[in-house]
Amino acid sequence: MSTAVNLSVNEGAKPERLLAVMRYPDAERSIAKARQAAPDLRLRSIGALGLIVSCSESPKARRQRLRRLVIERQALEELLLHGPVLPARFAGRAALPSSLIALAADHQDVFEAKLAEHEGLAEYQILVSWRPDEVLRSLLVLPPQNATVDEKREKSANAAAAAEIQRTKLRDMIYAELGGDAHDAIERPVMQIHDIAAAAILMPRPDAEDPRGGQSERDGSSFAVMGNVALDRLLTKIDDLWSGMLTVRCIGPLPPISFATIALDATDKHDTLAARRQLGVAATDSKAIRDARKRTLKAAIRENAPGDVIDALRAAADHLLRRGARPHVDTEEQLSLRFERADATEHSSLARHGEVRTGRGASIVGAR
C-alpha cells in the first residue's frame, strides 16, 4: 500500500484524538469489536500502519474523564488481542487528520520498529501488599506480664522496626524477581501504608485464541492468569516470598502504557521555517540538520559569537531534529513524535491510585 498522503480527508474535517497505532491488518481484524466499547472510533490506513482515532473530545470533568478512560482502555484491550498496540497518551492534543497522516507517513519506520519491539508482549501492572496489623502481630515478642509501660513500648517499637526491615527486604526481593523474569520492568511508587511494591512489567501476551480469555483461575496452589504460564509462575514466586502474608494483584493484559505511550507535540510551521533559515538548511533529514549544526556552530565559535547566539543555533537544530523529516505534507500544524515511559501518562497515574480497574483478567494471589 502506498504511503502517499491524501489531503482530501482534511476538507471540512474536525480535529481527532489519536488513540493508538497498530499494523493495519491487525487493526482491521479487531476494530469492529473495539467499536463495541467505543463506537466513535475510526480506523485510518497509512501504508502498513493503522491509526485508531476518536472524534470525541476528552471530557473536562473528572468523573466523565474516568469513564472515558475506562471505555478507551477496554477498546485498546480488544485491539491487543490481534497484535501489538502502541497506545497514545490519554487526553493528548487533538490534531487535524492531515497532520496525523503526515506524522504517521513520516515516521512509519519508527512505528514499525516499536511495534516489532512489542510483538507478542503485553503490560501487566503488579501491586504487592500486606496487612500491617497481622505483620506486627507476627513480629511482636510479647513482654512478660509484669513488664513496665516503657518495656511494652520498646517491644512495640522493635516490632515496628522489624516490620520496616522486612518491608525493605521483601521489596528488594520482589523487584529482583520481576526484573529477572519479565521482558522489561518499571518500578512504580506505592501510595498506601499496606503496599510493599508496585511495578509495570512486560510479559508474553496470552494467545488471543485461548478459550480461557478474560478469566482468572486457581487450581490448588496454582494460579492461571489468561492462560499465561510464565506470568502465573512469576506471581506464585512472589507470593511464596512470604507465604500467607502477601496479597499480589495483577491487572492485565494491557497495551504497553507504561513503556511506549505515544505523545505528540505540535509546532508552528513558521517556527520550523525560522529554524531552517537560522541553520541555513533547506532539507530536513537528520544528517543534513546535524551537518548544518556542526557547520554553523564552528563558524559562530570562530567569530567569537555571543553565548545566546550559540544557544539559539543549538535550539534551532534540536527543534528540527525533534520535528523529524516531513517530505509528504507541509501544514500549519506540525506534529513531532516521542514515546513516554514509566508514570508520565495519566493512564498510569489513575491506575496507580486504584481508580481504574480494567483488564481482561484481574488475578489476586495469596489473598484470604
Side-chain angles (χ1 to χ4, degrees), residues 26 43 45 50 79-80 116 131 137 139-140 144 179 183 187 191 195 228 231 277 286 307 330-331 368:
D26 296 339
L43 174 60
S45 66
L79 296 170
L80 183 65
R131 291 163 289 279
R137 279 197 297 270
L139 297 173
L140 181 64
H183 182 84
E187 179 181 346
M191 307 302 294
D195 295 336
N228 192 325
L231 180 61
R277 284 195 299 268
S286 58
D330 196 19
T331 62
R368 296 179 183 175

Side-chain angles (χ1 to χ4, degrees), residues 98-107 265 267 272 276 284-285 323-337:
S98 63
S99 299
L100 291 174
I101 289 173
L103 176 87
D106 294 339
H107 295 86
D265 297 312
T267 58
T272 300
R276 288 185 194 174
T284 55
D285 64 277
R323 176 177 168 274
R326 298 180 62 83
H328 297 293
V329 67
D330 196 19
T331 62
E332 291 294 327
E333 178 186 51
Q334 298 174 340
L335 301 177
S336 58
L337 168 70

Side-chain angles (χ1 to χ4, degrees), residues 299-306 310:
I301 292 171
R302 218 172 25 243
E303 296 168 5
N304 293 318
I310 292 175

